[in-house]
Amino acid sequence: MTKIHSFHIPVMGIGFTIDSPLKVSQYGIDSVISLVDDILLEKLRKMYCDKFEQSYTEITEKAEDFRAKRITSYLNLIQEIAQRKFENITNFTSDSSAEIKKYFSMLPDSSTLKQEFENLSQEGFKSEELKLWVKKNLTMGSIDVNIMTKVDKENYVKKEKLTTEYNDAHAALRGYANSNLTSSVILSAGMNPRLYSYMEQFGDFYPDENGTIKKKIVLKVSDYRSALIQGKFLAKKGLWVSEYRIESGLNCGGHAFATDGYLMGPILEQFKIDKEELKTSVFEILAAALENKNLTVPKTVLALKLTAQGGVGTAEEHNFLLDHYSMDTVGWGTPFLLVPEATTVDNNTIKSLLAAKEDDLYLSNISPLGIPFHSLKGNTKDLEKDKLIEKGRPGSSCPKKFVALNKDFLETGICTASRQYQHLKIKELEKQNLESEKHNYVLNKITEKSCTCVGLGTSALLAYGLDTKTEGTGVSVCPGPNMAYFDKTMKLTEIVDHIYGRSNVITRSDRPNMFIKELSIYIDYLKNLVDESKMETTDKQQKYLITFATNLIDGITYYQDLFSNQIGYFTASKNQILYQLEEGIQNINSLILPYKTVEIAN
C-alpha cells in the first residue's frame, strides 16, 4: 500500500483511537486500534452495527474463543465500513465532491498525486479521465492494530487453566490474523518469545515470492539493539519485521520505556547508519528459515521502513526527522487527542486536556504494569482512586482484569491496582513495623496504582453515551508532555495543515525543541532515581546512576555537534538550544556529583 502521507496516528490508550480508521482512513491516513479490551470492542461493534444497519449477534463470554472472535468481528466491521466510506469518495457522486477536495487538500504540497489531481480537475469533475485516475491512484489509510505483548494474561475456565493460545495477547493476535484486514500489527511493550513463536501458525504473516505480506509485523522499539535482537528472533521463524517504529523513551504518551540514558537523536542516527546492515543481516536469516520450512523465499531483500514518534510538534521537527534521519513517516499522537474528527475523547476529558500546562502532565507510577506512565493530574480515574483511599478501601474492584498479572498471592494472577491485591500487600507491610517515613513511602507505592485498563477505555463509552455500569465513569488519560503546547480543539484539516507547515496552531512561543524536551524529562527521571537511591544506596545503583548520566552527556555532546553544524533547520532557535544543552550538562553533573568515582567531563 502506497503511503501518501508522511505522518501516521499511533495507538493512544485503549479507547482513544478505537475507531479512528472510520474517521481518517478514507483520507489515506494510517491509524492504530488497540486490541486490549475485547469488551469495549464488542460494545462498539453493536453500536456501529445499529448505526450502519448491519446485522448483529452478540458474542458472549460463553462462546468458545470469544475474545478472538470479538476482535475478528470488530475489525471486519471496521474494515467494511471504512471501505464503504472510501468508495463513496471515489464514486464521484454529488455528495462526494467536497470529500474528494478534502482528501487532496490535506496531502503535502510536494505530493505529485496532489499536483496531478489539480491539473486534471481543471477541466471539471465530470471528466471521465479524472474519474478513472482517482479510482487508480487513491488509497485508503491502513487500519493497523496494536498488541501490548506484556498484557498476555493466562485465562481459566472453572479454575482450569487454558492452554497458552488462549492467553490475552495470543487471542488478540489470533483475532487479528483471522480478520480480513491487509495491514500491520504493531507489537509494543517488549519481547514476548511465546507470542512471537505463535505467529508462525498464521500464513498471512509470511511473504510471497514478490515480497508481498498481507499482514505485516511492526515493532515499537526505543533502541537499535532491541530492534536487532527481536528482528533476528522473528526472522529465525520465517517472519519479517516490515517496520521499526522508534519511539522516544520518555517524550511520548502512555507507557514510557526509558532507555539507560540514551537520547532519541543518537538512537535515530544509529538506525540511519546501520539500516542496510540491519535489513540484509536479518533477511539472510529469514531466507534460510523460509527455505527450511519449505516456504516461498522472496526474490529480493524485503522492504524495511523506519518511522519515529514521540514529542514531535512542529512542521520543522517533522521535516527534520524525515530529511536528516531518513525516516519514512513520523507519528503524531498527543495533539490528535484534541481532534474529534480523528480520535474518540469525551468532552470533559477534552476540557481537562485543553487546560493542561507543563506541571499538570507528569510521568507517574500509576500503571499496574510497573512501567512509568504519562498521566494528567486530576484525571477522574485518579480522583476516584483517591476517594477510595480516603475511605480506607484502596484499590479497584478490577472489573475487567486485563492486567491481573501479579502472582504474589494467587497463581491465577491479581492486578496490583485491585482492592484484593492492595489489601493483602498492606497487611504484609503492617507486619514489617517500618519507621514512619519508610512505611508511608511503601504504602504510597502500593496504593498509587490506578485501574488504567478500565480508565483508558471509558472515555469512548462516555463520548458515545454507552453504558458504563461495569466500568464506572472514571477516565484515565495518557497524553505526552507535548499536550501543554496545544490549547484548542482542531479540525482534521487544521492539524494536518500544521503538520505540513501550511499553518501553525501553537500560540505559545516558549515550546522547547522536541530533543531538548526529551533531555529535560530524562534529567527529571535521573533526579527521581537519585532521590530513590537515598533510601538505600548500593554499589550497583551507584554504578547505574553514573552510567545513566554518562550516556546522557554523550547524547548532549552529539546534539552540540548536530545543532552547531545544522544548516537549514532550527536556525532561529540554535543559540537557545545550545545554551539549554550546556545547562543540561551542568544539571546532570550536580545531580550525580555525590555518586561519582570518576569525573564525568564535558
Side-chain angles (χ1 to χ4, degrees), residues 358-364 366 373-377 382:
E358 286 91 339
D359 290 344
D360 301 312
L361 303 156
Y362 73 112
L363 192 60
S364 74
I366 67 172
F373 181 79
H374 282 287
S375 189
L376 174 68
K377 289 179 182 176
D382 278 0

Side-chain angles (χ1 to χ4, degrees), residues 85-133:
K85 287 189 168 190
F86 176 69
E87 289 173 356
N88 286 341
I89 289 180
T90 60
N91 282 338
F92 276 85
T93 63
S94 57
D95 294 331
S96 70
S97 59
E99 288 291 275
I100 293 170
K101 290 177 182 177
K102 183 175 179 179
Y103 185 107
F104 283 99
S105 74
M106 287 193 286
L107 297 182
D109 293 340
S110 59
S111 168
T112 55
L113 201 65
K114 186 172 189 173
Q115 292 161 8
E116 287 179 33
F117 173 76
E118 289 174 350
N119 291 335
L120 287 168
S121 61
Q122 285 177 358
E123 298 178 18
F125 273 26
K126 293 181 180 180
S127 164
E128 287 302 316
E129 183 185 1
L130 177 60
K131 292 180 181 180
L132 289 172
W133 181 87

